[in-house]
Amino acid sequence: MLSDNEIEVLINEAHEYYGFDFGGYSRASFKRRIERLIQMDGLTDFRSLLSRMRTDSDYFKHMVEEITVNVTEMFRDPHVYKILREEILPILATKPFIRIWHAGCSTGEEVFSMAILLKEARLLSKSLLYATDLSPSALASAKSGIFPLRMMKQYSENYMASGGIRDFSDYYIANYERAKFSEELSEKMVFSQHNLVSDSSFNEFDLILCRNVMIYFDKELQERALRLFDDSLAKLGYLVLGTKETLKYSSVQPRFGQLRKEKIWKKLK
């Protein structure tokens, strides 16, 4: 079990050696991931982890990816996708062009879910999906459009629960243990590394999805990310967060209206 002091030493040295700021991450979540990393990599103790981080920049990249990668799935929380399908996309359809940002896209399952929604709404051709994450390996995985075949049954059930009416297998080709999704879906995707901790806004969007990323941030960093999303959304644009995340009590809350009790907000000002 790591001490709070050891965690602070690690955060300070990551910043000193590599300029990377873990300071805004939830301490409890950060500690759990560091302890998991030590166990997974067969390191003997905290000192050996610290020594390796200081002397091996490739190992530090590995650390960042293990600490920041998030669990995801296609059509996660299907009712959210049902609202996107039935209520939000018909509104966005009136725009000449639709810009969507998946912030913290991880391995890309939700980006491909959105592309399927857009295709079925006949909006994919006039849409652009920006998919960003801190982890280069997660982005590489997302860009490939390849997901484990064993997950397709669950993803198909999620898709149907979201209002999907097609055969989900129409969207991919099964090859051994992998499912390769249609390149037509990824033609409108732009993948790029972006750090919600330190990077700024890079475009104006009609819809931003950042789900189950901010739960790893402390209050200060959550506030920073929400201001970034506010700066990046067009007026009357939508922000979709994870089930345990909220705009409530943030400085940007007065500028947004919540869609019923869902984790979806519309920018009003």
Side-chain angles (χ1 to χ4, degrees):
M1 177 75 75
L2 297 176
S3 69
D4 292 344
N5 185 54
E6 287 173 325
I7 291 298
E8 294 308 317
V9 168
L10 186 67
I11 290 172
N12 289 336
E13 299 225 355
H15 191 258
E16 180 180 340
Y17 277 74
Y18 298 100
F20 194 96
D21 188 5
F22 282 118
Y25 280 73
S26 157
R27 291 297 188 273
S29 172
F30 187 78
K31 183 187 288 190
R32 282 196 301 274
R33 293 193 173 205
I34 291 297
E35 288 173 345
R36 174 179 170 274
L37 186 70
I38 290 173
Q39 184 177 30
M40 182 177 71
D41 291 348
L43 300 171
T44 53
D45 53 24
F46 175 71
R47 283 183 173 277
S48 59
L49 172 70
L50 197 60
S51 174
R52 189 158 181 192
M53 183 193 79
R54 288 167 172 164
T55 57
D56 186 344
S57 59
D58 287 337
Y59 186 75
F60 179 71
K61 292 176 184 174
H62 163 68
M63 275 183 61
V64 170
E65 290 176 357
E66 290 299 328
I67 290 168
T68 58
V69 71
N70 301 306
V71 175
T72 185
E73 62 182 49
M74 296 191 78
F75 294 93
R76 177 170 49 174
D77 306 321
H79 71 283
V80 171
Y81 282 89
K82 194 174 182 67
I83 293 170
L84 287 167
R85 182 194 295 276
E86 296 179 352
E87 299 183 34
I88 294 179
L89 289 191
I91 294 172
L92 297 184
T94 62
K95 290 177 169 286
F97 195 76
I98 302 170
R99 292 184 176 86
I100 299 173
W101 179 17
H102 287 263
C105 71
S106 190
T107 44
E109 283 84 343
E110 296 202 54
V111 188
F112 277 84
S113 304
M114 179 59 70
I116 290 171
L117 287 191
L118 291 166
K119 177 176 170 54
E120 294 185 354
R122 300 188 178 187
L123 298 174
L124 186 57
S125 61
K126 69 169 187 176
S127 300
L128 201 56
L129 294 92
Y130 291 82
T132 66
D133 201 277
L134 183 60
S135 165
S137 66
L139 284 171
S141 179
K143 196 172 183 178
S144 75
I146 297 172
F147 305 109
L149 189 60
R150 59 183 164 75
M151 298 303 299
M152 291 305 113
K153 181 176 182 298
Q154 178 63 55
Y155 293 171
S156 177
E157 291 172 358
N158 289 354
Y159 164 74
M160 297 303 292
S162 78
I165 56 173
R166 293 183 58 174
D167 186 335
F168 190 63
S169 64
D170 289 347
Y171 291 110
Y172 64 85
I173 296 172
N175 187 9
Y176 296 100
E177 302 299 319
R178 305 186 304 174
K180 173 76 169 75
F181 276 70
S182 167
E183 292 184 0
E184 179 189 4
L185 297 174
S186 56
E187 284 178 353
K188 293 293 184 177
M189 297 177 188
V190 177
F191 295 93
S192 179
Q193 194 171 13
H194 184 275
N195 188 347
L196 291 172
V197 176
S198 57
D199 291 342
S200 57
S201 176
F202 59 94
N203 212 325
E204 185 176 84
F205 298 95
D206 304 297
L207 171 62
I208 296 176
L209 300 97
C210 183
R211 306 180 69 217
N212 301 323
V213 176
M214 293 194 303
I215 54 175
Y216 301 109
F217 297 170
D218 66 14
K219 290 294 182 187
E220 183 179 346
L221 187 51
Q222 288 177 12
E223 178 68 24
R224 186 193 186 285
L226 291 174
R227 287 200 301 269
L228 173 64
F229 297 148
D230 182 30
D231 291 341
S232 305
L233 263 180
K235 186 179 179 182
L236 305 182
Y238 293 89
L239 174 64
V240 183
L241 301 178
T243 55
K244 295 179 180 177
E245 297 162 330
T246 184
L247 279 188
K248 288 181 179 177
Y249 315 116
S250 74
S251 64
V252 305
Q253 182 184 0
R255 298 167 58 78
F256 286 79
Q258 189 169 8
L259 194 66
R260 297 189 295 277
K261 293 184 178 179
E262 302 296 337
K263 296 296 186 178
I264 302 174
W265 284 265
K266 187 171 187 175
K267 183 172 176 176
L268 303 175
K269 298 180 182 178

